[in-house]
Amino acid sequence: MQENQSSPQPEVELSSAADASPEAASAEAPDNASVDTLPSLEEQLRQAELKGAEHYDAWLRAKAETENVRRRAAEDIQKASKFAIEKFATELLPVKDSLEQTLAVANPTLESIREGVELTLRNLARAFERGNLTELDPVGAKFDPHQHQAMSMVESDQPANTVVQVFQKGYLIEGRVVRPALVAVSKTKD
């Protein structure tokens, strides 16, 4: 028979929470200090409502500012449209004055009428230049349907689709056609 020998058990030290280090105690025990500093649900709700009201106020202000910008832009567009011709009209006033002076001559001679018309034409050309209105006189140029309107085709020694005659000059403002030139275009001889 065997003897009942018990093996010695290692000694286990049980320590109390008071004996443990402060870090170990804080890890094991709930953090009462941090629980106390968390705001209550009512406080969190109040803060969220304040922040929501602040955001809503900012949104209303931004919306009002956007509406003001739109309104001002619409007014500016309306004014620009209404008074866009003002500068050009101011440039045309000397043309009208020249015509009136020519007609006001008591005993006009052919020479005085010619001088008045030439003065009027110079004033008109100056007004066109200041208003960026460019004359389009395409004789000898290749026909361009964006700038020219063909009134007829004539046989010519020039290459086909070349402008050979201008019935009425065209005009451009900043490269945009105001009125196309009325032209006769060449065609090959049969």
Side-chain angles (χ1 to χ4, degrees):
M1 210 174 174
Q2 291 182 336
E3 290 181 44
N4 192 3
Q5 288 184 342
S6 63
S7 64
Q9 296 283 334
E11 289 184 27
V12 177
E13 288 186 29
L14 296 175
S15 63
S16 67
D19 295 339
S21 69
E23 293 84 27
S26 65
E28 293 173 7
D31 190 13
N32 291 338
S34 65
V35 171
D36 292 340
T37 60
L38 286 178
S40 67
L41 288 177
E42 291 83 17
E43 179 62 23
Q44 288 178 353
L45 178 61
R46 189 182 69 75
Q47 288 178 358
E49 286 174 342
L50 288 174
K51 189 168 264 192
E54 183 180 315
H55 288 300
Y56 182 72
D57 183 55
W59 174 78
L60 280 178
R61 290 177 188 277
K63 182 179 177 185
E65 181 63 25
T66 302
E67 289 301 318
N68 287 338
V69 168
R70 280 189 190 140
R71 183 184 46 77
R72 279 189 228 115
E75 288 173 0
D76 289 347
I77 290 169
Q78 184 182 18
K79 286 178 185 175
S81 174
K82 188 175 183 180
F83 298 109
I85 192 112
E86 182 177 12
K87 181 181 175 192
F88 189 63
T90 304
E91 297 295 332
L92 286 179
L93 292 177
V95 175
K96 183 177 184 294
D97 294 340
S98 296
L99 286 171
E100 288 174 346
Q101 288 173 359
T102 301
L103 293 174
V105 174
N107 293 320
T109 63
L110 185 56
E111 187 61 33
S112 68
I113 292 174
R114 182 172 184 78
E115 287 175 10
V117 170
E118 287 173 352
L119 176 62
T120 302
L121 188 57
R122 280 195 303 272
N123 287 337
L124 187 60
R126 193 174 313 123
F128 281 7
E129 183 180 317
R130 289 182 182 156
N132 295 322
L133 186 62
T134 310
E135 191 175 274
L136 186 60
D137 190 3
V139 172
K142 182 131 178 91
F143 177 75
D144 180 356
H146 300 288
Q147 295 184 347
H148 313 137
Q149 183 175 345
M151 301 303 291
S152 64
M153 294 190 80
V154 295
E155 290 183 359
S156 173
D157 294 333
Q158 294 186 8
N161 294 324
T162 301
V163 175
V164 292
Q165 183 180 2
V166 176
F167 300 114
Q168 186 179 63
K169 294 177 185 174
Y171 290 91
L172 307 169
I173 292 182
E174 300 290 338
R176 183 177 174 188
V177 176
V178 174
R179 180 178 82 186
L182 302 180
V183 298
V185 181
S186 66
K187 66 177 181 178
T188 56
K189 292 183 179 180
D190 289 335

